[in-house]
């Protein structure tokens, strides 16, 4: 049974941060003058794109890089929507999931990256995909 409600990883993280803000943004978005991204927010987004570009280049040095897929989208019947950063499609149909982060550790000021990856695993598994391994790739601060 398919429902009409979609929940993304960003929605999930916003709900965890402030459920009232999530509810307002979802059901009454015109009641608040939502702020535009700050220059700092824009810098963080640019850093994220730069790290993704580095990972795309780095992946080419891996064994069997042709198995790697960037930005694959999955939507479960119950409305979970996940876009993977990177995944390896295995011959047996399973995948290895790679969550790419521009921070230097598994936890950052913006949240816990393990929770980000967990949301994606749940969403993918609800579409029938079996996830073999999950990896979080982050910047080496050295």
């Amino acid at each position: 049974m398919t429902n009409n409600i979609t929940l993304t990883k960003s929605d999930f993280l916003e709900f965890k941060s402030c459920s009232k803000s999530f509810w307002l943004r979802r059901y009454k978005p015109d009641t608040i003058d939502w702020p535009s991204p700050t220059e700092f927010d824009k810098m963080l987004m640019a850093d994220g794109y730069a790290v993704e570009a580095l990972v795309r280049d780095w992946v080419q040095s891996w064994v069997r890089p042709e198995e790697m897929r960037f930005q694959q989208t999955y939507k479960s019947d119950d409305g979970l929507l996940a876009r993977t950063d990177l995944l390896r499609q295995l011959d047996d149909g399973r995948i290895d999931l790679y969550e790419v982060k521009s921070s230097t550790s598994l936890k950052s000021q913006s949240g816990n990256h393990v929770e980000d990856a967990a949301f994606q695993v749940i969403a993918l598994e609800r579409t029938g995909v079996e996830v073999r391994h999950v990896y979080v790739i982050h910047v080496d601060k050295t």
Side-chain angles (χ1 to χ4, degrees):
M1 177 170 137
T2 303
N3 71 37
N4 294 330
I5 297 174
T6 299
L7 186 73
T8 66
K9 182 177 72 173
S10 296
D11 294 334
F12 168 70
L13 296 174
E14 182 176 11
F15 177 81
K16 282 193 67 201
S17 173
C18 180
S19 60
K20 292 176 182 172
S21 172
F22 168 78
W23 189 92
L24 284 170
R25 190 179 302 273
R26 170 75 49 120
Y27 298 106
K28 302 264 185 192
D30 297 333
T31 60
I32 293 180
D33 185 18
W34 299 97
S36 298
T38 65
E39 291 304 312
F40 183 72
D41 295 331
K42 292 175 186 175
M43 181 200 69
L44 291 177
M45 288 185 259
D47 286 350
Y49 293 128
V51 168
E52 182 181 328
L54 290 171
V55 170
R56 283 180 182 269
D57 289 341
W58 178 49
V59 162
Q60 295 309 308
S61 69
W62 292 9
V63 175
R64 298 172 58 175
E66 68 279 358
E67 295 176 342
M68 306 308 291
R69 305 282 181 269
F70 285 88
Q71 301 293 324
Q72 300 295 299
T73 302
Y74 296 84
K75 184 175 181 187
S76 66
D77 287 343
D78 60 353
L80 297 183
L81 180 68
R83 180 175 300 125
T84 62
D85 291 333
L86 175 62
L87 62 82
R88 178 183 300 270
Q89 183 67 55
L90 303 167
D91 292 336
D92 62 6
R94 297 179 301 161
I95 66 161
D96 288 341
L97 177 66
Y98 298 81
E99 178 72 5
V100 178
K101 297 297 180 184
S102 58
S103 63
T104 57
S105 70
L106 287 176
K107 290 187 177 183
S108 73
Q109 291 178 337
S110 63
N112 183 330
H113 303 321
V114 173
E115 292 175 348
D116 292 8
F119 178 89
Q120 290 194 43
V121 169
I122 291 167
L124 269 63
E125 288 182 345
R126 288 186 181 181
T127 68
V129 173
E130 183 180 342
V131 179
R132 180 182 73 164
H133 295 291
V134 179
Y135 304 94
V136 177
I137 298 174
H138 55 86
V139 177
D140 180 350
K141 60 184 167 187
T142 62

